[in-house]
Amino acid sequence: MCGIIGFTGYTEAKKVLIDGLTALEYRGYDSAGIAFYEGGSINTIKTTGKVAALTDKIAALNTSAEDTGSTCGIGHTRWATHGGVTDTNAHPHTAGKVTLIHNGIIENYRELEIRLKEEGRIPISQTDTEIAALLLDSLYEGDALKAIKQAVELIEGAYAFCILFADQPEVIYSLRNSSPLVACHAKEGSIIASDMVALIDYSKDYFVVPEMHVVILKKDKIILTDLDGNLVCPRILHVNWDMTAAKKGGYPHFMLKEIHEQPDSLRNTILPRIQNKLPDFTADAIPDSLFDGITRIVITACGTAMHAGLIGRVMLEKLLRLPVTVEVASEFRYQDPIIDKNTLVITISQSGETADTLAALKLSRERGASTLSIVNVKGSSIARESDYVLYTHAGPEIAVASTKAYTAQLACLYLLAFRFAYATGKLEKEACMEEMQQLLNVIPALEETLSQDKIIEEISRQLKEKEDLFFIGRGLDYALSCEGSIKLKEISYIHSEAYAAGELKHGTLSLVTEGVPVVALATQQKVYAKMISNIREVKARDAFVILITISGQKAEPSIYDYHIVLPEIKDEYAPFLAAVILQLLAYYTSLHRGLNVDQPRNLAKSVTVE
Ligand code: F6R
């Protein structure tokens, strides 16, 4: 949450900062600001609202974003945690010689504030970030590294900072603990940001800033040191996507583009992992010995990634006959989880930076579990903390609502389940090969599913005035209902709930009255008849039923208002296709309600606070 960027170099800083903030805006969009060296001093411009509001403010101040006067500055796009959305609370914050931006939460800021107030240092905002600025200024006597080291010893929490010192023109200091930071040097200069999307215009080679290290950005070079000032050589990584992947490419919204990218993202995720028709993780350096002695699997993640885990659980349990539990990462640590060296903990995260998931992973390692993460962002904190990583090759996901990352996560979980089952002798080679073919069949079937766009748009028009909605299903369809429900509510603001279809009559059926929409997922043959009975129960209460089945399954028109038929596919693979329908349903409903599809209120991508 919050996007930060710093640039020092040979070209106009304000343009680099504004372009970078525009790319990072998905991380937070309550307010935005920049600070830059100009005419011997540091100027700050900040405002509530989006980056566009900041650009307007810059223009109104007659300071062009392309003004060549400044070649060094920092920029921030905020997702408010401490203090309301006001101009004063927007970053950057200045205290004496220090101007800084921050992504994260300073947990002990109250304690620090009391101490600073005793010294007569009074904050003017309600933010934890200003306390960090005041603290750093109180410690700064001309030696930035020394002051940073002392500040770090006092600050508790998660942070990524970019700092300007008034008496060190054209230099940016940066450091991080938990919150993400990546940096690169290019012909235009040195640049650092929360995410690669802000760097990709300048370079495809970058490094992830190691935690508790200081980055000193100068025009001609980047210096990385530990907190004692010892030089450290950064580990350079390379991205294999370019800026077109991080732009809308003709689509009206990132979300729609990302929904339509799913055939490609599945291809990129699955194909390199099928060798000789079998699942193969040689290139991922995941040995079969990982599965030796595993008696239990725990999947932990947040939100949509956790919902992918719910589907993964069904597949893993079915194939391995081992107990698999799915834990919400934000609860995991507080439940004193039962894990030991025979437990495989799988963490799932698009960003690889979700604070709760990262904390759950760290605890699992402390308790001796083997850890494997399914992550989209290369070199992210979760990837680096895990024993093994299976990357989803979905490319950058910009819309706040996760879509292509979810189906890519499913693909990884399926590959993992099949490899595990095959490697431990629980699945015959021929059967495993057959399943890999089925997994590959998902890709053309998904392409066909995407062509149902029009009917989904029509259904969504009927939903736009509704206030409550239910998703029901059994087995894999129930797990998928959870995902359908979060997708709809996060971007359309319609209240919805996911229910195991058989559970409705134990209480919630009282809420199903005339016209209440019920999205009924009935893709699983084994429970189809039971599911139809549940649909009759809601239809008998005059619900507005949107039925989703696989081609070939019969359904009487009297039980539904709309019927969406998915291409023929084995039950186990239906979630990939049905997920696309639910994503489109959420997308069009949000669109018809006139909402900001890509940046829903109160949310942000990459939740780096607990
Ligand atoms: C919903 C959504 C969130 C994320 C969750 C975890 O559409 O995107 O629920 O899935 O915040 O994020 P990652 O996957 O980055 O750990």
Side-chain angles (χ1 to χ4, degrees):
M1 327 198 97
C2 298
I4 67 178
I5 180 164
F7 170 78
T8 182
Y10 307 99
T11 180
E12 58 270 29
K14 278 177 255 172
K15 177 162 171 25
V16 177
L17 299 179
I18 294 294
D19 289 350
L21 290 181
T22 306
L24 291 168
E25 198 168 39
Y26 68 91
R27 302 179 65 89
Y29 30 85
D30 294 336
S31 41
I34 56 171
F36 46 94
Y37 284 103
E38 202 167 44
S41 60
I42 296 172
N43 294 332
T44 298
I45 305 174
K46 54 186 186 174
T47 180
T48 53
K50 300 196 171 199
V51 178
L54 177 66
T55 315
D56 289 348
K57 190 160 181 178
I58 293 171
L61 292 169
N62 284 330
T63 318
S64 155
E66 298 189 17
D67 184 345
T68 48
S70 172
T71 53
C72 174
I74 55 179
H76 187 271
T77 176
R78 181 172 186 238
W79 185 82
T81 56
H82 293 63
V85 180
T86 64
D87 283 3
T88 313
N89 287 340
H91 302 209
H93 289 278
T94 299
K97 288 199 168 114
V98 171
T99 297
L100 60 74
I101 50 176
H102 166 223
N103 169 24
I105 286 188
I106 296 165
E107 285 166 4
N108 61 337
Y109 82 103
R110 281 264 178 251
E111 207 177 283
L112 296 170
E113 184 177 2
I114 294 167
R115 173 186 152 158
L116 288 159
K117 279 184 173 164
E118 280 166 9
E119 294 169 11
R121 294 174 185 272
I122 314 295
I124 53 169
S125 74
Q126 289 82 50
T127 63
D128 52 339
T129 302
E130 192 189 358
I131 302 300
L134 287 162
L135 178 69
L136 201 52
D137 183 58
S138 75
L139 300 167
Y140 182 61
E141 288 168 344
D143 183 341
L145 256 181
K146 189 172 159 202
I148 288 171
K149 186 175 177 189
Q150 288 172 343
V152 161
E153 280 163 10
L154 296 169
I155 292 174
E156 288 166 19
Y159 45 80
F161 291 116
C162 284
I163 313 158
L164 301 176
F165 292 93
D167 54 356
Q168 298 197 43
E170 314 296 327
V171 181
I172 300 168
Y173 287 84
S174 240
L175 89 155
R176 75 178 197 104
N177 178 33
S178 289
S179 303
L181 271 182
V182 287
C184 74
H185 185 74
K187 67 178 187 335
E188 292 85 354
S190 301
I191 177 162
I192 190 160
S194 306
D195 187 328
M196 195 55 205
V197 292
L199 308 192
I200 191 88
D201 265 345
Y202 308 94
S203 175
K204 284 188 167 192
D205 297 314
Y206 69 106
F207 68 92
V208 176
V209 176
E211 287 186 48
M212 293 303 190
H213 282 63
V214 178
V215 188
I216 306 165
L217 288 106
K218 300 190 171 186
K219 281 177 188 298
D220 58 341
K221 62 178 172 212
I222 298 183
I223 301 163
L224 178 67
T225 76
D226 63 17
L227 286 171
D228 293 319
N230 300 309
L231 285 181
V232 173
C233 186
R235 205 176 134 239
I236 302 297
L237 300 171
H238 183 78
V239 283
N240 50 10
W241 46 270
D242 60 20
M243 202 53 204
T244 50
K247 295 212 163 119
K248 286 185 196 155
Y251 285 91
H253 297 99
F254 280 113
M255 184 177 175
L256 191 61
K257 173 180 174 247
E258 288 160 7
I259 290 173
H260 281 269
E261 280 174 345
Q262 290 178 104
D264 277 342
S265 94
L266 287 181
R267 239 175 244 119
N268 295 339
T269 302
I270 298 170
L271 290 186
R273 274 119 182 189
I274 300 184
Q275 300 295 329
N276 302 320
K277 302 186 180 168
L278 286 168
D280 188 309
F281 297 137
T282 313
D284 300 288
I286 301 176
D288 284 344
S289 58
L290 168 65
F291 309 127
D292 291 346
I294 296 296
T295 55
R296 203 168 151 240
I297 300 173
V298 176
I299 301 176
T300 183
C302 296
T304 287
M306 191 270 290
H307 295 155
L310 294 176
I311 303 263
R313 180 177 77 87
V314 178
M315 294 304 291
L316 285 158
E317 280 198 336
K318 183 176 141 134
L319 286 160
L320 303 171
R321 306 308 303 147
L322 290 179
V324 183
T325 52
V326 181
E327 311 286 346
V328 173
S330 55
E331 291 291 312
F332 188 73
R333 268 172 306 155
Y334 310 108
Q335 291 167 341
D336 197 8
I338 305 165
I339 39 182
D340 59 22
K341 64 176 178 33
N342 296 321
T343 312
L344 173 64
V345 174
I346 303 174
T347 46
I348 309 174
S349 176
Q350 185 285 128
S351 62
E353 300 295 346
T354 300
D356 285 316
T357 310
L358 182 59
L361 167 63
K362 286 182 178 167
L363 179 70
S364 305
R365 289 194 72 176
E366 267 165 47
R367 297 204 170 177
S370 298
T371 57
L372 180 143
S373 61
I374 296 176
V375 172
N376 198 37
V377 178
K378 230 182 187 177
S380 54
S381 303
I382 291 173
R384 281 178 295 112
E385 283 286 335
S386 307
D387 297 329
Y388 300 99
V389 189
L390 204 46
Y391 282 110
T392 47
H393 297 306
E397 194 180 62
I398 309 291
V400 165
S402 186
T403 53
K404 61 176 177 170
Y406 172 76
T407 44
Q409 287 158 357
L410 295 189
C412 282
L413 286 160
Y414 279 56
L415 286 162
L416 188 70
F418 286 118
R419 180 75 210 182
F420 198 154
Y422 170 64
T424 52
K426 291 181 177 158
L427 186 66
E428 296 295 331
K429 186 173 177 183
E430 294 302 320
C432 193
M433 286 176 159
E434 165 57 19
E435 295 296 342
M436 286 306 96
Q437 188 49 51
Q438 296 289 343
L439 186 59
L440 289 170
N441 292 348
V442 163
I443 300 169
L446 198 140
E447 267 158 357
E448 199 182 324
T449 308
L450 281 167
S451 66
Q452 307 226 20
D453 214 63
K454 281 280 161 291
I455 171 85
I456 309 291
E457 180 170 7
E458 186 189 320
I459 298 170
S460 302
R461 273 185 210 282
Q462 317 263 343
L463 300 183
K464 72 173 189 194
E465 307 294 347
K466 305 285 183 186
E467 284 174 4
D468 298 289
L469 192 146
F470 293 89
F471 288 85
I472 59 170
R474 286 174 174 259
L476 283 170
D477 280 338
Y478 169 57
L480 188 64
S481 294
C482 298
E483 176 52 15
S485 177
I486 195 178
K487 209 88 310 170
L488 184 87
K489 61 190 146 196
E490 75 174 314
I491 60 169
S492 77
Y493 314 156
I494 295 175
H495 165 250
S496 76
E497 287 187 51
Y499 259 84
E503 191 62 16
L504 265 188
K505 55 183 157 309
H506 296 289
T508 310
L509 198 55
S510 62
L511 295 176
V512 177
T513 52
E514 189 182 345
V516 169
V518 175
V519 178
L521 288 146
T523 68
Q524 303 295 301
Q525 299 291 348
K526 207 170 64 182
V527 287
Y528 188 68
K530 296 255 179 301
M531 189 60 207
I532 295 298
S533 303
N534 297 137
I535 297 170
R536 285 190 200 287
E537 287 160 12
V538 294
K539 200 62 199 155
R541 273 87 195 165
D542 289 327
F544 175 79
V545 174
I546 301 151
L547 174 65
I548 303 177
T549 66
I550 301 284
S551 167
Q553 283 167 328
K554 295 215 169 10
E556 276 170 38
S558 62
I559 63 161
Y560 59 78
D561 294 274
Y562 280 96
H563 185 190
I564 298 167
V565 181
L566 302 173
E568 203 173 340
I569 197 139
K570 256 181 94 178
D571 286 19
E572 288 82 350
Y573 301 90
F576 288 90
L577 310 187
V580 170
I581 300 293
L582 301 185
Q583 293 164 355
L584 286 168
L585 198 67
Y587 171 78
Y588 282 114
T589 307
S590 172
L591 195 71
H592 292 318
R593 284 165 72 92
L595 300 172
N596 187 334
V597 176
D598 284 339
Q599 296 176 341
R601 70 184 175 209
N602 304 341
L603 299 175
K605 196 114 182 134
S606 191
V607 183
T608 48
V609 296
E610 290 176 28

